[in-house]
Amino acid sequence: LYAFGSTGEREAFRALTDIQGVGGKVALAILSILDPAELARAAANGDKAMVARANGVGPKLAQRIVNELGTKLG
């Protein structure tokens, strides 16, 4: 069971968990260091290093996240 402070956080969480290799724990780790706007900006700019700062996210997973979120988040 997950709770979110805003609908943006919930949408970002759902978009993250739709990616292969990203579960609830990793999605929460990413959202704990990046708010949804920062995550969308990192995905749009292809900034995998920003996403890789999250605990449990390696360089390959960060690249996959950036590639797949580039089209999902506005």
Side-chain angles (χ1 to χ4, degrees):
L1 183 64
Y2 300 102
F4 303 99
S6 69
T7 57
E9 287 178 351
R10 185 179 65 227
E11 291 170 4
F13 180 84
R14 287 182 179 165
L16 284 167
T17 56
D18 283 344
I19 298 171
Q20 180 183 353
V22 179
K25 186 176 180 180
V26 172
L28 287 177
I30 293 169
L31 290 174
S32 71
I33 63 163
L34 298 172
D35 64 36
E38 291 172 332
L39 181 60
R41 194 168 30 258
N45 294 334
D47 189 0
K48 68 179 184 177
M50 194 170 196
V51 177
R53 293 185 339 205
N55 201 12
V57 179
K60 288 182 182 179
L61 182 56
Q63 184 65 49
R64 186 179 316 133
I65 290 169
V66 167
N67 288 343
E68 292 192 29
L69 284 184
T71 59
K72 290 182 181 180
L73 296 178

